[in-house]
Amino acid sequence: MRPSVELQNTRLLHILLHVVAGLFVFAGMASISLTRTSGSGVWNAFAVWIACALAGAVLLNRYLPAHDRLLFPLAMLLSGWGLVVIYRLAPPFAERQAFWLVISVGALLVVALAPHILSWLRIYRYVVLALALLLLLATIVFGRNPSGFAFAPRLWLSLGAFYFQPSEIMKIILVAFMASYLGEQSAAIRADAHDGARTRSLSPRLVGPMLLMWLLSLVILVWQRDLGAATLLFVVFLLLLYLASGDLRILLGGALLIIIAALAAYHLFDVVRLRVDIWLNPWPEADGRAYQIVQSLMAFGAGGIFGAGVGLGSPGYIPVAHSDFVFAALAEEWGLLGVICVLSCFAVLALRGLKIGLAHSGRAFHKLLATGLTMMLFVQALMIMAGVLKLLPLTGVTLPFVSYGGSSLLVCFTMIGLLLRLSTMDTPTRRAGGR
Amino acid sequence: MSIEVAVLILRALAGLSLLAFLFILFLIVWRSMRQLDRQLQASRANYGYLIRRRRDSTKTDSERYQLDAITTLGRSAKNSIVVEDDFASAEHARIILEDGQWWLEDRRSKNGTRLNSAVIDQRTLLANGDLIGIGKLTYQLALNRQIDASAS
């Protein structure tokens, strides 16, 4: 039969995918070590990356043979690319990032291979949520900023030399909580929506959580000035609610709530007003408050189609380019080709994630969890990429896998771990196909 | 001098490996899509068809729709069969397979659903060859005999 030949071909393709990704990261690291005088630690980072990729690929292949074969290579390519960019921009941070990469891949493997993670997430959802809220509260009270500026948002908790950002872990916990809540309510929500079609009213089961989530996002925004996290959490939550109910009015109502919050925030908070003002027109303040975004646009222009080459561009003009503006630095040195590749990687990531969600059409919790995690990664990537390109107001979120940031990397890899776990479950469609 | 050449070679390598990565990525995605499509086609039971006939036209512009276990008819794009007729409601009628029998159900449509030109007011049993009327359109039920026999 043909399938066996095709299967072998596909295996070969997957191995090739890893090899090509390795080659790419190698080329980047080698260029850095040639063009920079202080590039001694580069090969250590490359060794760490190779070790992580190999260990992950082998262990997943051995203990989770039916997993989605694209998610892990994509995450590894993006994180390896991130290491190269961070090494090129800010070498001291790269060693820390390599350290976090080890922890992140470890977390991915634990989440993907441990047997009961998913049911725990569902059963103990209130405990987990309470812990997360407590962490958030602790950040509001004890939070600090590693850069030490007095006016910078205090989003981090310090643990010795390491800083951790609780709002990152909120992403996973809130998605899991919503998926579990909406999954349990999905039958009732559908029934209400069916009645509602006649009475034209929205179910309180939907409006309640929506308003609650809106308030939580506002709290994050008001007390923490964390525009990115607030927007991201609310948008993803709306998408999940829409998925669970199939009611278009959820999206319209949510958009209305966002507009109200945005208008109010524009008049109340300087951070928000600044972001919107420099989005509408950055040029009058190109040397002042809009310096970062203007330099980012310049970097895109300087990159051209094939880019300036690793270590040959000048993305150093963009302040703190290694965290939020990593996409601009990448665009300058790898050009349009690199940008298209990053976009494709996130697109395929979203495609596979949604496919995993679709495969669980009979199980509301699994479907919503897979879709929610995918949307979280994808919307975040979209927000920061559009922000750096001045297509959207800048919201300070990291580019998943690529940006410098330990907590972000850890959380992104954990999400991929959960998706891998979800992709291996014996789904109804697969059973039907095997018959 | 040699460093510049080496960097140039590395740049070419980086660009080529990026292109290769994209190529393999899309190849894998395309293949898995094709495989999924094949699986879906195979798993979809062939119950039979609904054949659309326009009532007031002499020419035969019939169209065949594959029948699902729950087939919805209506003007809204959400339905499995979209009825393009001004007299059709957004969610007009439903054909369902239950207990090995096919049933026709009106979904509180404004202008009613006809079965063999009589307006139905409750769930009605269907037989092969029945004519279902919505607005100016008529749909004929053409069941697949083999499936029908094995189900009963």
Side-chain angles (χ1 to χ4, degrees):
Chain A
M1 285 280 283
R2 251 156 50 97
S4 63
V5 177
E6 199 157 292
L7 199 70
Q8 267 185 352
N9 265 343
T10 314
R11 285 230 175 103
L12 197 69
L13 277 182
H14 288 131
I15 293 169
L16 217 59
L17 199 65
H18 276 104
V19 171
V20 168
L23 220 59
F24 172 70
V25 175
F26 165 78
M29 294 287 190
S31 319
I32 290 178
S33 76
L34 285 177
T35 51
R36 310 212 108 204
T37 45
S38 62
S40 56
V42 165
W43 296 114
N44 294 340
F46 184 60
V48 167
W49 183 83
I50 286 278
C52 284
L54 272 179
V58 168
L59 285 175
L60 284 176
N61 191 29
R62 170 130 191 215
Y63 293 107
L64 216 59
H67 71 275
D68 190 303
R69 303 266 168 170
L70 282 186
L71 292 177
F72 187 67
L74 282 173
M76 281 322 282
L77 176 83
L78 288 172
S79 61
W81 205 338
L83 269 181
V84 173
V85 178
I86 295 163
Y87 238 111
R88 188 249 172 281
L89 292 166
F93 288 109
E95 274 154 36
R96 198 172 274 207
Q97 184 80 350
F99 170 77
W100 275 106
L101 184 67
V102 176
I103 294 185
S104 303
V105 173
L108 177 142
L109 290 174
V110 167
V111 169
L113 300 179
H116 297 301
I117 293 279
L118 288 177
S119 41
W120 284 347
L121 266 182
R122 184 163 53 167
I123 296 165
Y124 300 116
R125 61 176 178 204
Y126 287 107
V127 179
V128 175
L129 183 72
L131 279 178
L133 288 177
L134 216 65
L135 263 180
L136 199 64
L137 201 69
T139 330
I140 291 172
V141 180
F142 305 111
R144 49 184 66 192
N145 191 306
S147 66
F149 292 125
F151 54 83
R154 296 182 182 147
L155 308 176
W156 284 263
L157 281 178
S158 72
L159 201 84
F162 282 97
Y163 288 89
F164 189 76
Q165 209 173 350
S167 66
E168 290 286 338
I169 203 143
M170 282 294 279
K171 287 177 191 165
I172 292 188
I173 289 171
L174 275 178
V175 166
F177 178 79
M178 293 167 206
S180 145
Y181 170 82
L182 291 172
E184 211 170 83
Q185 301 277 326
S186 72
I189 288 172
R190 290 257 176 212
D192 282 2
H194 197 73
D195 296 342
R198 249 166 267 143
T199 55
R200 306 236 168 258
S201 68
L202 272 174
S203 155
R205 278 182 240 266
L206 290 177
V207 178
M210 181 155 103
L211 289 177
L212 211 67
M213 192 62 210
W214 188 58
L215 284 178
L216 181 68
S217 301
L218 282 185
V219 166
I220 295 173
L221 183 63
V222 172
W223 270 326
Q224 299 220 281
R225 303 291 153 89
D226 194 346
L227 185 61
T231 323
L232 183 62
L233 287 178
F234 191 62
V235 168
V236 170
F237 179 64
L238 276 183
L239 289 172
L240 274 185
L241 214 51
Y242 173 61
L243 193 73
S245 69
D247 195 328
L248 201 62
R249 284 172 297 175
I250 291 289
L251 291 184
L252 296 177
L256 203 69
L257 285 179
I258 290 180
I259 291 170
I260 293 171
L263 283 178
Y266 180 78
H267 290 290
L268 289 176
F269 305 123
D270 294 336
V271 184
V272 179
R273 186 181 310 179
L274 171 70
R275 295 273 171 82
V276 174
D277 282 346
I278 62 174
W279 169 58
L280 290 173
N281 187 5
W283 304 109
E285 296 192 70
D287 291 329
R289 299 187 302 172
Y291 184 71
Q292 206 176 17
I293 184 82
V294 166
Q295 289 304 322
S296 154
L297 292 177
M298 301 279 193
F300 273 95
I305 292 178
F306 294 108
V310 193
L312 302 176
S314 45
Y317 284 119
I318 313 165
V320 275
H322 57 275
S323 71
D324 292 0
F325 277 79
V326 76
F327 191 53
L330 193 149
E332 175 158 4
E333 306 222 309
W334 282 271
L336 184 65
L337 180 63
V339 168
I340 288 176
C341 191
V342 171
L343 281 173
S344 310
C345 285
F346 281 112
V348 172
L349 205 68
L351 184 77
R352 300 296 279 212
L354 292 180
K355 198 179 139 202
I356 293 169
L358 273 178
H360 285 287
S361 55
R363 307 174 195 177
F365 170 67
H366 296 94
K367 179 180 77 178
L368 291 171
L369 186 63
T371 317
L373 292 173
T374 309
M375 279 296 121
M376 196 58 102
L377 283 172
F378 189 64
V379 171
Q380 182 177 345
L382 217 58
M383 267 167 65
I384 189 60
M385 287 192 291
V388 165
L389 269 166
K390 207 176 78 65
L391 292 171
L392 283 177
L394 196 61
T395 45
V397 292
T398 55
L399 184 60
F401 305 109
V402 185
S403 285
Y404 169 70
S407 2
S408 165
L409 197 69
L410 177 60
V411 165
C412 291
F413 268 90
T414 312
M415 286 181 177
I416 293 293
L418 283 173
L419 282 175
L420 286 175
R421 175 89 208 152
L422 284 163
S423 73
T424 58
M425 303 193 60
D426 188 22
T427 56
T429 23
R430 202 167 288 165
R431 249 182 272 140
R435 233 188 301 160
Chain B
M1 191 61 198
S2 63
I3 282 186
E4 277 168 26
V5 173
V7 167
L8 198 68
I9 291 171
L10 283 174
R11 273 188 69 184
L13 180 67
L16 286 177
S17 53
L18 263 192
L19 282 177
F21 189 85
L22 275 187
F23 177 74
I24 299 172
L25 199 64
F26 284 130
L27 197 63
I28 293 175
V29 168
W30 181 67
R31 278 190 167 188
S32 78
M33 286 289 191
R34 209 180 43 174
Q35 194 191 348
L36 193 70
D37 184 49
R38 257 192 248 131
Q39 261 175 24
L40 281 178
Q41 289 297 338
S43 69
R44 196 173 170 186
N46 186 13
Y47 289 119
Y49 299 95
L50 269 187
I51 301 162
R52 188 189 71 189
R53 302 185 195 287
R54 222 179 277 273
R55 194 204 276 172
D56 59 350
S57 78
T58 46
K59 60 176 193 279
T60 53
D61 68 328
S62 64
E63 192 167 339
R64 294 205 314 174
Y65 302 92
Q66 197 158 14
L67 207 56
D68 290 325
I70 298 178
T71 310
T72 59
L73 295 107
R75 206 152 37 90
S76 140
K78 281 185 201 165
N79 294 291
S80 28
I81 296 176
V82 179
V83 183
E84 284 153 3
D85 189 292
D86 295 339
F87 290 98
S89 299
E91 296 175 342
H92 198 106
R94 195 157 77 147
I95 298 170
I96 51 178
L97 175 65
E98 216 172 271
D99 308 325
Q101 303 280 12
W102 289 92
W103 300 82
L104 176 65
E105 225 176 46
D106 188 63
R107 292 161 86 194
R108 299 176 182 223
S109 66
K110 213 165 217 168
N111 297 310
T113 308
R114 296 179 309 276
L115 177 58
N116 300 329
S117 68
V119 176
I120 61 164
D121 52 359
Q122 59 183 6
R123 177 186 265 220
T124 313
L125 196 61
L126 286 172
N128 198 8
D130 273 353
L131 294 170
I132 297 155
I134 294 175
K136 280 202 272 303
L137 296 173
T138 308
Y139 295 87
Q140 185 168 31
L141 189 69
L143 293 175
N144 192 335
R145 288 289 165 83
Q146 285 176 329
I147 298 282
D148 209 28
S150 69
S152 58

